[in-house]
Amino acid sequence: MIKSKARITAIGSYVPKRRLTNDDLEKMVETNDQWIVQRTGIKERSVANEDEFTSDISYKAVKNLMERYDKSVDDVDMIIVCTLTPDFKTPSVASYIQAKLGIRNTGAMDLNVACAGFTYGLYVANGLITSGLNKKVLVIGAETLSKVTDYTDRTTCILFGDGGGAVLVEYDEKQPSFISSHLGSEGEKGNSLYSTNLSNTMNGKNLIGNGNIVQNGREVYKWAVTTVPKGIQSVMKNTSIELENVDWFVPHSANLRMIESICEKSGFPIERTLYSLVNYGNTSAASIPLSLDKAVREGKIENGNKILLYGFGGGLAQAGLLIEWTI
Ligand SMILES: CC(C)(COP(=O)(O)OP(=O)(O)OC[C@H]1O[C@@H](n2cnc3c(N)ncnc32)[C@H](O)[C@@H]1OP(=O)(O)O)[C@@H](O)C(=O)NCCC(=O)NCCS
């Protein structure tokens, strides 16, 4: 990674008020709190109202960021919304946010890399700023997964939740946030985790599903716990920093057992790992900013902390970033 000229300068988040607990799910499918907690670590999730969409959650996450940021966002020159659940195929959620915030001179685009979306979004933001193309990029990770979840399928409906987080990335040559990165994609494994759209055929196979999320949980689990530890090594190989000197690890909040296994294989202590799944479930592109903002509000993250972010999931795709926190 070439020397970054971009710094993360602000953060905000929002989750819908409506809660869906494991007890609620017990009334909907054949499952129980003990099974869900033991297999996933998840206790409850946020669920959007029927008339609440990814754009609404994104907007509220940005409003929360603006309340905590002492400058204006009027000069944002690129808006990236990372999501697999946009309100519309077109226009983008990013254009909706641009209009709602009244930002005039900006680009706007959605980026879909599922659960790796937010780390891909940050990677792109850093690239745009470091190359000199942009000066101030708003990166949002937001989802309404409840709208593509089959609440009769106990293997998926226990996992997913709704929410959003937003960060600002600005030009700053003196105190850049981005240290190193590693990206990957294995499209040949795409049918392990998908939501159909215009086609029902992938890699020559007919898929079941009607737009809801379908997954082979075991395959995704096995892939994540072998791929992410190797990816972490690749991120660290590109720096002079040792893994033991990383202050916090923020993996995608998919499943606590998966995170424990990744930590064990990487030799990283679970105590220094931040996740948002216990109360929010798996929120895909929103999970990493939600974990980060939760830790910021709890006063866990301090200026100068080295943080390893790792997004992974649908694609199957992954992106890890080592950053320094200097908000
Ligand atoms: C989904 C997941 C929790 C299932 O856990 P698992 O340990 O693999 O469980 P299995 O699918 O092997 O099922 C074990 C048993 O529990 C049952 N079961 C599945 N879901 C259940 C539920 N919600 N409640 C109770 N029992 C359940 C299965 O039917 C199976 O029963 P059987 O042994 O009688 O056939 C796990 O595979 C997982 O988390 N995978 C990763 C998913 C993920 O994170 N996806 C997003 C990635 S970004």
Side-chain angles (χ1 to χ4, degrees), residues 29-32 35-36 39-40 115 154-156 158-160 193 215-221 252 254-255 257-258 282 312-314:
V29 287
E30 205 182 319
T31 190
N32 60 75
W35 193 96
I36 302 172
R39 304 277 175 138
T40 72
C115 306
R154 67 176 181 170
T155 67
T156 53
I158 56 156
L159 300 172
F160 300 116
L193 177 55
Q215 72 167 351
N216 181 333
R218 283 203 165 178
E219 284 302 316
V220 178
Y221 192 104
H252 164 49
N255 175 322
R257 275 177 55 212
M258 217 142 97
N282 177 345
F312 55 87

Side-chain angles (χ1 to χ4, degrees), residues 185-259:
S185 166
E186 287 161 77
E188 59 282 6
K189 296 182 180 148
N191 49 0
S192 303
L193 177 55
Y194 63 85
S195 146
T196 56
N197 186 16
L198 301 180
S199 168
N200 274 73
T201 316
M202 195 196 303
N203 300 332
K205 289 196 182 120
N206 286 331
L207 304 175
I208 54 157
N210 53 359
N212 286 332
I213 294 177
V214 179
Q215 72 167 351
N216 181 333
R218 283 203 165 178
E219 284 302 316
V220 178
Y221 192 104
K222 269 193 283 176
W223 171 80
V225 301
T226 50
T227 307
V228 177
K230 286 186 201 146
I232 291 174
Q233 280 181 8
S234 298
V235 175
M236 300 313 297
K237 208 171 63 192
N238 298 329
T239 83
S240 54
I241 298 164
E242 297 296 328
L243 187 59
E244 64 191 43
N245 296 325
V246 168
D247 298 284
W248 298 105
F249 173 41
V250 191
H252 164 49
S253 267
N255 175 322
L256 187 54
R257 275 177 55 212
M258 217 142 97
I259 294 174

Side-chain angles (χ1 to χ4, degrees), residues 68-88:
R68 300 153 65 186
Y69 176 65
D70 57 7
K71 287 181 271 176
S72 164
V73 296
D74 290 350
D75 55 345
V76 160
D77 56 8
M78 180 60 80
I79 302 170
I80 303 175
V81 178
C82 314
T83 187
L84 73 99
T85 48
D87 309 23
F88 301 102

